Amino acid sequence: MRTEAKVGLGLLLTPLLLWLSLLIFIPHVDMFIVSLQERIGVGKYQTSLANYLTFFQEPLYLWTFLRTAVMSILATLMTLLIAFPVSYYIAKMVKGRLQSALFLMCLVPFWVSELVRTFGWMILLRETGIFSNLLQFVGLADGPVEMLYNDGAIMLGLVYTSMLFMVVPLVTTLESLPDEVIEAGYDLGGSGLSVLREIIIPHAMPGIVSGCIVVFMLSLGNYLTPTMLGGKESLWFTELIYSQFIVRFNWELGSAFGFMLLILSSAIVWGMLKLTGQSLEKTMG
Amino acid sequence: MIPSIPQSRFLTTAYAAYIVVFFVFLALPLLVVAGFAFNDSQFPSLPWEGFTWNWFFGDERPMIGVFHERSILRAIGTSILVAVLVSALAVAVGLSNAFLFNRYKFRGQGILYVLMLLPLVIPGIVLGISILVFSSRVANGLWDGYRIDIEALRPGLLLVILGQFSFITTIATLVIGARLQKFDRTLEEAALNLGAGRLVAIRTITLPYLAPAMVGAFVVSFLMSFENFNTTLMLVGSDAPLTIAMFDRLKEGSTPLLNAVSLLLMLGSSCLALIMIFFQKK
Amino acid sequence: MTPDLECSALTKRFGDTTAVENVSFQVPPGSFFSILGPSGCGKTTIMRMIAGFLEPSEGDIRIKGKSVLNVAPNKRPVNMVFQHLALFPMMNIAENIGYGLRRQGMDKTQIGRKVDEALDRIGLPGIGSRKVDELSGGQKQRVAIARCMVLEPDVLLLDEPLGALDLKLRERMKVELKSLQAAFDTTFVYITHDQSEALVMSDNIAVMNNGQFEQMGSGQDLYYRPESAFVAGFVGDTNRWQGKVTRKEGDAIELVTENGLTLRGATHGRDLSDGQQADVFVRPEAIRIAHDAADLAHFDNRISGRVTSLLFNGAASRILVGSEDGREEIEVNLPQSGEFSSIAKGDAVHIGWASDQGNCFKAGGN
């Protein structure tokens, strides 16, 4: 029996370890090694921090990096603010069929590709788009209005595209809060605001954190939305990575960029978990 | 505020209005995409030139419909192939992982679980380039050392599949693990008590119980693979899956053909979702 | 003296169904009032209307003489111990108990003192910094009560709070609740479907069925002098037969059951006449048992039969007696004297009871 258990453990461990080592761990280590190589001649490399120095010395790179981080954080906060009332409504204000229907309606848009959703916003926002025509029609604008290719459009796209990943964890955690507990809060003299602050939000914290982490990750690593809605000048960090790899074929610098993005995302996720006293297992698992 | 706490009419109405606005916001881009699939014009934008099915069935230039556009059809085929393989792999490994974390206690389990979650918090594009860099270096090493050229390690479908698999497996593990967590182990013990062997008990009792979660994990994996863009973008070779093919076309300027493809995608994924709901209910 | 709580003609309709119909009652200060009824009878609806989570369709609720109909739940001078207690899992025990005080804007040191006082009062000093899920079921119960009592409510509502506890603990908590009520000297309104909880703790009990109060009174009233067939059947264990009235003399009546057994009972002033269908209720402890028929000569109901089953349960042991003709089965308490301790299945026994122990009601009531 003991050997049987050991064999079973070994059999189940193998795929996990293969997956994590070959597809996650070793590639990232390898990417780090590549990022430390400096090209000194054709086919000749030496180990140095040159790529990272380039990153810190070139204002455009650093600026793009910081801008991406700040805008991702903003997008996360906006998504949270928009999604929370909706999630609360679905979780606590409606019951039964209506509840399932509303929840389903939240999910539907995200079963189609992000590309399609972004395409939809392009049709709405561009110069010849629906909104522009609408504004002219009601007389608020004299000529075509270009609403695409600015930071607002990027923000809108990011918020829209990440909405699901905020709504689902929020609805799940809010639903697990018994009505009784909210009623007890009122019964003991609490007002709407104090119940929200002291009972509902603390209860929803794991959902808020996991939603924020996922939305932040998706925004930070997004390539499609900034490129399509932000246009050529969108300055998103993933675009720099892409161009180093695919356009300029400078994999060493590209790897360094990739590693910086990884460090940034890990740092912010870790900070978020520490700040709220949550753990990755609890929020994601 | 919950329905049993009396609130002012104004507040309840305002709240309901907010929800309505939210759903309009959600639906708007999709409705627009779907609507312009039927516009009898070269551009998916106003003015409306009249209704047409040509962007689906048309077979003459300039209006070649989806069903006659070879490159799109091939891209759809590629996407389906990739998605099926990725989902099958992810569900298989996810099942194994779920059992591992649920049934065994071993040293380092906690750390391994966190590691298992990590792919969720690695930006997709970074996953893509790390696999790209690693596989290319292995391929270069093999060529330099042994003059063996392994085409599969160059950007192409295998790398796309591996790249998507690398993070979709985490999701499959979580979906199946959640259901296994709820499984009442005394059922398995009852089967053993009634004469089944351990593996038979798992096959006849536990796996049927897990079936809805496995179907769910498969569908979710399929959709995630089908939709994936970031990781795929870095690993794609000559035969591009649909999202990449559409992206390339979109960069060159859009025709309602893309709307038609999008509408088909919406219908397809809705069907998949319905299948999943159906299985979940059982 | 104004009652602490007074409901008059309280009615609640949900669409076509009437959950609570024309219910009126008063609860004097410092008393323990229970509403007892099967699930779905509307007792929770009453409770939620008093707490303010439901609006009555008609009628009035007055607390210390003042109507609270237009008062929001967080402003009402009543507090509630919820069915699943609803302790806030995101707070520790002290924060839970201090929650309402913080809402009143009391300063921190004073809250701390009050919380400590309350913890002493419930016999759990020093657990303030513990988490909710570190407490046992009984401790949680007491914390939930303390959380309300620090606010010194006029009325404390308790919604089947013992339901989730195991049997032993439930027995102990009954006694404890009663003494907590005495210690806090506050009016308790308690709802339950468990008659023993209501009987043990309450000064007054209202038995509720189908949205209406069937009877209101002390435990003894309900047990010994039920005013309706429902109460007779719901409160306490009882034998019940249905039959046709064949004779009536004043309060005494004679009826024949569907199986042909003749029984004598009493109407206790209720309206019943010849030829009507009637229900008769006889409690198992009202029935005497004897080895010899002569010992039972003074009873006007006498049956001979055999023990068909022995339900041994210590002091509450019973036997089922099948009448000789095999038509009826009667549940009888075994006397605690030990006289029948060796009785066994199949033994011949004689049983009898006085006709005024047979409570008769017009059939069809329930």
Side-chain angles (χ1 to χ4, degrees):
Chain A
M1 189 60 224
R2 283 220 41 88
T3 49
E4 193 186 315
K6 270 196 183 140
V7 170
L9 180 66
L11 278 178
L12 293 178
L13 262 176
T14 310
L16 178 79
L17 291 179
L18 279 179
W19 161 43
L20 289 180
S21 56
L22 288 181
L23 291 178
I24 307 295
F25 187 69
I26 298 176
H28 281 89
V29 171
D30 196 48
M31 183 180 85
F32 181 61
I33 294 172
V34 169
S35 77
L36 290 178
Q37 290 183 336
E38 184 188 3
R39 199 196 310 233
I40 48 173
V42 178
K44 288 204 167 154
Y45 295 94
Q46 71 175 28
T47 305
S48 80
L49 288 172
N51 294 312
Y52 291 94
L53 280 177
T54 313
F55 170 78
F56 282 107
Q57 280 164 352
E58 169 64 56
L60 176 74
Y61 297 159
L62 200 59
W63 163 246
T64 307
F65 185 71
L66 293 176
R67 183 184 127 87
T68 307
V70 170
M71 278 185 68
S72 297
I73 293 174
L74 271 179
T76 308
L77 291 179
M78 277 176 62
T79 314
L80 176 63
L81 282 181
I82 294 173
F84 195 87
V86 176
S87 312
Y88 187 82
Y89 197 87
I90 294 174
K92 290 276 124 202
M93 299 295 284
V94 289
K95 295 268 169 292
R97 270 163 182 273
L98 185 59
Q99 184 180 35
S100 337
L102 286 186
F103 191 52
L104 208 63
M105 275 164 62
C106 278
L107 300 188
V108 169
F110 302 94
W111 286 331
V112 287
S113 157
E114 185 186 348
L115 191 90
V116 175
R117 287 174 256 149
T118 314
F119 183 38
W121 282 112
M122 287 174 75
I123 296 176
L124 285 165
L125 294 178
R126 66 177 157 210
E127 216 171 348
T128 53
I130 310 279
F131 286 159
S132 170
N133 274 292
L134 206 66
L135 284 180
Q136 292 173 63
F137 181 76
V138 294
L140 281 173
D142 300 328
V145 190
E146 179 65 277
M147 281 178 265
L148 220 48
Y149 311 127
N150 58 53
D151 287 357
I154 297 183
M155 216 53 169
L156 176 74
L158 289 177
V159 168
Y160 182 84
T161 230
S162 328
M163 192 53 77
L164 166 84
F165 301 94
M166 192 64 93
V167 169
V168 170
L170 282 180
V171 169
T172 319
T173 46
L174 284 172
E175 228 184 347
S176 70
L177 177 67
D179 281 2
E180 217 179 42
V181 172
I182 300 175
E183 283 172 357
Y186 279 93
D187 185 65
L188 295 166
S191 63
L193 220 59
S194 77
V195 169
L196 183 70
R197 203 183 60 234
E198 289 204 33
I199 296 170
I200 297 172
I201 290 181
H203 178 90
M205 217 37 169
I208 294 177
V209 172
S210 81
C212 282
I213 286 178
V214 174
V215 170
F216 176 75
M217 297 303 314
L218 288 177
S219 303
L220 196 65
N222 204 320
Y223 176 80
L224 199 59
T225 304
T227 320
M228 288 177 55
L229 299 184
K232 297 262 181 299
E233 304 299 307
S234 60
L235 295 180
W236 207 256
F237 198 63
T238 47
E239 290 168 359
L240 289 188
I241 296 179
Y242 180 82
S243 75
Q244 290 304 330
F245 264 89
I246 308 296
V247 185
R248 308 209 180 154
F249 224 69
N250 186 350
W251 286 19
E252 292 73 33
L253 187 58
S255 294
F257 285 177
F259 210 75
M260 288 311 296
L261 190 68
L262 191 62
I263 287 176
L264 173 68
S265 68
S266 312
I268 292 197
V269 168
W270 183 80
M272 200 143 47
L273 291 172
K274 276 283 158 282
L275 207 67
T276 52
Q278 306 284 335
S279 69
L280 194 64
E281 301 95 293
K282 225 170 101 190
T283 48
M284 294 289 164
Chain B
M1 79 193 292
I2 45 175
S4 62
I5 314 287
Q7 291 289 348
S8 74
R9 264 200 96 71
F10 172 74
L11 223 58
T12 11
T13 320
Y15 200 177
Y18 174 78
I19 302 299
V20 171
V21 170
F22 175 80
F23 279 106
V24 169
F25 165 72
L26 277 196
L28 207 54
L30 299 186
L31 292 180
V32 171
V33 168
F36 280 107
F38 301 101
N39 194 8
D40 195 0
S41 142
Q42 281 297 315
F43 304 101
S45 58
L46 292 174
W48 182 256
E49 304 276 5
F51 183 89
T52 178
W53 280 104
N54 276 349
W55 292 112
F56 291 89
F57 304 108
D59 53 3
E60 273 175 70
R61 287 195 173 275
M63 284 178 136
I64 295 187
V66 184
F67 295 112
H68 294 282
E69 177 70 46
R70 284 269 174 72
S71 61
I72 290 286
L73 290 179
R74 202 169 46 236
I76 292 178
T78 308
S79 275
I80 291 177
L81 176 74
V82 168
V84 167
L85 289 174
V86 166
S87 313
L89 263 175
V91 169
V93 176
L95 185 66
S96 149
N97 292 345
F99 271 98
L100 179 69
F101 287 113
N102 184 265
R103 296 298 168 85
Y104 289 92
K105 290 280 159 285
F106 52 93
R107 241 181 319 151
Q109 190 177 29
I111 295 170
L112 216 50
Y113 191 75
V114 174
L115 284 178
M116 191 274 295
L117 291 175
L118 276 189
L120 284 188
V121 289
I122 299 176
I125 200 161
V126 175
L127 273 179
I129 58 172
S130 69
I131 290 173
L132 175 68
V133 167
F134 177 55
S135 67
S136 302
R137 295 228 308 164
V138 171
N140 289 345
L142 287 173
W143 178 246
D144 292 344
Y146 309 97
R147 298 283 140 186
I148 308 169
D149 190 15
I150 302 180
E151 189 54 35
L153 288 176
R154 307 290 177 186
L157 284 191
L158 179 76
L159 288 195
V160 170
I161 291 171
L162 287 178
Q164 295 183 353
F165 167 82
S166 72
F167 71 97
I168 290 177
T169 305
T170 299
I171 291 155
T173 305
L174 291 178
V175 171
I176 299 174
R179 182 138 173 117
L180 190 58
Q181 192 88 51
K182 285 192 223 140
F183 179 71
D184 178 5
R185 282 197 70 178
T186 55
L187 293 180
E188 231 172 67
E189 285 162 7
L192 292 177
N193 185 261
L194 294 170
R198 192 161 284 277
L199 285 178
V200 175
I202 288 177
R203 185 167 53 81
T204 52
I205 306 295
T206 320
L207 288 186
Y209 175 85
L210 288 179
M214 284 161 70
V215 173
F218 190 93
V219 173
V220 169
S221 305
F222 189 94
L223 286 176
M224 293 202 74
S225 161
F226 208 95
E227 286 185 17
N228 183 267
F229 184 81
N230 288 339
T231 308
T232 311
L233 181 69
M234 305 308 299
L235 297 172
V236 74
S238 51
D239 32 0
L242 187 62
T243 40
I244 304 291
M246 283 174 75
F247 178 68
D248 288 341
R249 283 189 173 232
L250 205 52
K251 276 196 296 196
E252 293 157 12
S254 47
T255 66
L257 175 74
L258 290 179
N259 295 62
V261 180
S262 303
L263 183 56
L264 290 180
L265 278 184
M266 289 182 214
L267 294 176
S269 40
S270 305
C271 286
L272 268 184
L274 285 179
I275 292 174
M276 183 163 81
I277 290 167
F278 177 74
F279 269 96
Q280 241 65 332
K281 283 254 164 72
K282 279 215 299 196
Chain C
M1 194 158 53
T2 39
D4 265 0
L5 171 67
E6 185 181 8
C7 291
S8 47
L10 205 55
T11 300
K12 178 69 191 177
R13 281 181 289 268
F14 297 104
D16 288 340
T17 54
T18 305
V20 174
E21 194 175 358
N22 199 23
V23 164
S24 303
F25 62 93
Q26 298 186 343
V27 183
S31 67
F32 198 122
F33 181 79
S34 291
I35 301 175
L36 170 65
S39 56
C41 71
K43 54 191 192 304
T44 304
T45 308
I46 294 188
M47 192 70 110
R48 293 176 65 79
M49 286 194 283
I50 300 171
F53 299 126
L54 276 177
E55 208 178 325
S57 309
E58 276 160 41
D60 196 10
I61 300 167
R62 282 182 293 277
I63 292 167
K64 288 226 188 285
K66 277 201 287 283
S67 171
V68 292
L69 279 197
N70 295 316
V71 181
N74 49 355
K75 302 275 188 286
R76 291 195 188 190
V78 294
N79 291 119
M80 182 150 166
V81 176
F82 288 79
Q83 189 163 11
H84 304 290
L85 305 181
L87 293 177
F88 304 131
M90 60 294 279
M91 305 176 195
N92 66 21
I93 300 304
E95 285 165 346
N96 257 285
I97 298 179
Y99 179 87
L101 298 172
R102 288 202 297 282
R103 300 283 79 75
Q104 293 175 354
M106 193 179 276
D107 72 71
K108 272 203 179 126
T109 48
Q110 210 177 346
I111 292 178
R113 219 183 43 243
K114 284 220 165 199
V115 169
D116 287 341
E117 235 173 72
L119 284 172
D120 280 344
R121 203 82 166 267
I122 56 170
L124 296 170
I127 64 156
S129 58
R130 292 225 214 137
K131 293 205 158 212
V132 170
D133 48 19
E134 290 170 13
L135 300 193
S136 70
Q139 290 172 326
K140 282 185 197 165
Q141 197 84 50
R142 284 182 266 174
V143 170
I145 292 169
R147 183 175 74 172
C148 294
M149 295 316 294
V150 289
L151 301 177
E152 292 160 21
D154 291 334
V155 177
L156 182 70
L157 307 172
L158 301 102
D159 182 1
E160 304 209 36
L162 304 187
L165 303 182
D166 63 54
L167 187 69
K168 269 251 160 63
L169 188 56
R170 198 152 64 208
E171 292 302 321
R172 218 180 63 217
M173 284 311 296
K174 277 184 214 167
V175 182
E176 211 164 275
L177 267 180
K178 178 91 180 152
S179 58
L180 276 176
Q181 190 250 340
F184 284 115
D185 193 29
T186 302
T187 307
F188 277 32
V189 175
Y190 189 96
I191 69 171
T192 180
H193 64 271
D194 181 314
Q195 43 160 317
S196 122
E197 286 174 20
L199 292 173
V200 169
M201 294 187 282
S202 321
D203 299 313
N204 266 299
I205 304 170
V207 178
M208 193 170 182
N209 186 35
N210 280 334
Q212 287 171 312
F213 278 5
E214 292 267 342
Q215 185 177 355
M216 214 170 354
S218 67
Q220 287 97 322
D221 286 340
L222 300 175
Y223 194 84
Y224 294 115
R225 290 173 291 280
E227 284 166 10
S228 72
F230 178 80
V231 175
F234 191 73
V235 180
D237 289 340
T238 184
N239 288 292
R240 171 186 187 158
W241 293 279
Q242 196 169 73
K244 194 175 185 182
V245 179
T246 50
R247 229 177 60 209
K248 182 168 193 279
E249 269 173 44
D251 249 8
I253 60 167
E254 190 177 282
L255 52 85
V256 178
T257 69
E258 289 148 357
N259 292 331
L261 191 72
T262 305
L263 297 169
R264 286 165 199 87
T267 61
H268 295 290
R270 282 177 291 269
D271 177 42
L272 252 181
S273 50
D274 256 3
Q276 276 181 325
Q277 285 289 330
D279 283 316
V280 55
F281 295 86
V282 183
R283 298 212 181 271
E285 74 269 20
I287 304 177
R288 280 297 139 73
I289 170 169
H291 290 301
D292 187 349
D295 294 347
L296 303 169
H298 55 291
F299 289 127
D300 37 12
N301 287 296
R302 288 186 301 273
I303 294 173
S304 300
R306 291 192 177 277
V307 177
T308 54
S309 128
L310 178 66
L311 313 169
F312 183 76
N313 182 18
S317 297
R318 289 185 182 162
I319 53 171
L320 293 181
V321 176
S323 61
E324 241 158 25
D325 47 19
R327 285 169 175 168
E328 298 286 358
E329 203 161 60
I330 304 139
E331 209 174 329
V332 183
N333 269 24
L334 278 182
Q336 290 169 31
S337 56
E339 194 185 336
F340 289 91
S341 58
S342 59
I343 199 164
K345 190 173 168 182
D347 288 357
V349 286
H350 304 277
I351 54 173
W353 66 91
S355 63
D356 64 348
Q357 298 284 355
N359 252 314
C360 295
F361 299 90
K362 197 187 280 182
N366 220 303

